[in-house]
Amino acid sequence: MTATPDLGTRTPRLASPDLLRSVFRRHAAGVAVITARGDAGPVGFTATSLTSVSAEPPLLSFGISTGASSWPAISATDHIGVHILGEHQQDLAATFARSGADRFGAPTAWRTGPEGVPVLDGVLAWLVCRIVGRVPAGDHRIVLAEVVLGDPTGPGRPLLYHQGHFNGLRD
C-alpha cells in the first residue's frame, strides 16, 4: 500500500503557467544579466535560469522567451556575455528586467568586450561565451553556450531572486 502525503487543508492545483510561476517564486536563484551585440546596439536581460551544464567542455545554458525584446539579437548572434550580479546591483537587475528600459544608458557602466560583447562593470564575475545551440522549449529557447573567457574576481556577495524580489544572501 502506498502512503498518501498529508496535504492538510491545501489542495493541489493542476499544471498551469501560474502554478509554475508560483512554485519557482519559492525557489531562490542567483541573478545574471545576459548581453549581446544587436543590429541597433547592445541588448540584455535579467536571467535567473542560468545553469552550468558541463565542465568539459565548459558549457552553460539559460532560457529566453521568443517574445523578449532581446531574442532577435540572441537568435542571430554568435557570442553573448554572462554577468553574475552582486547584492549591490539590485537596481541594475531591475533595469535589465524592466520592459522598455534604457538598459545601457546611465547609470549602467559597461564597455565593449571581446567578440564585441557588451561587458558590464562592477559585477561579481563575467563570461564571454560562444552560442552552440538554441533548443525550442515551449514559448522559450534554451540557449547553450561554450565559455570562451571571463573574469571570476569581482568583489562582493551574490544577488538572489526570491518571492518576486531581489535580495542579498543572508548568513
Side-chain angles (χ1 to χ4, degrees):
M1 181 169 179
T2 305
T4 351
D6 178 16
L7 299 175
T9 59
R10 298 181 299 187
T11 303
R13 297 173 9 198
L14 293 175
S16 70
D18 183 55
L19 173 63
L20 186 66
R21 283 188 209 96
S22 294
V23 168
F24 273 88
R25 280 188 197 108
R26 300 183 68 92
H27 173 70
V31 181
V33 168
I34 309 297
T35 61
R37 180 179 55 199
D39 289 340
V43 301
F45 64 97
T46 300
T48 56
S49 62
L50 183 65
T51 304
S52 172
V53 173
S54 167
E56 188 58 44
L59 295 173
L60 59 83
S61 71
F62 60 88
I64 180 172
S65 169
T66 56
S69 61
S70 297
W71 171 243
I74 299 294
S75 72
T77 193
D78 292 331
H79 291 85
I80 49 100
V82 175
H83 307 82
I84 306 301
L85 300 191
E87 63 186 359
H88 63 286
Q89 295 178 303
Q90 291 184 21
D91 290 342
L92 183 67
T95 297
F96 275 84
R98 191 169 42 253
S99 181
D102 181 4
R103 296 171 178 160
F104 290 89
T108 302
W110 65 282
R111 65 191 179 285
T112 300
E115 303 296 338
V117 170
V119 174
L120 302 175
D121 293 338
V123 297
L124 296 187
W126 61 267
L127 299 166
V128 170
C129 303
R130 182 178 59 84
I131 294 177
V132 296
R134 296 172 185 88
V135 181
D139 62 354
H140 279 60
R141 294 296 181 268
I142 305 302
V143 177
L144 292 167
E146 184 173 8
V147 175
V148 174
L149 59 89
D151 180 0
T153 63
R157 294 165 50 100
L159 181 62
L160 299 178
Y161 187 73
H162 180 251
Q163 293 287 34
H165 301 285
F166 297 113
N167 301 286
L169 185 64
R170 308 274 189 270
D171 289 328

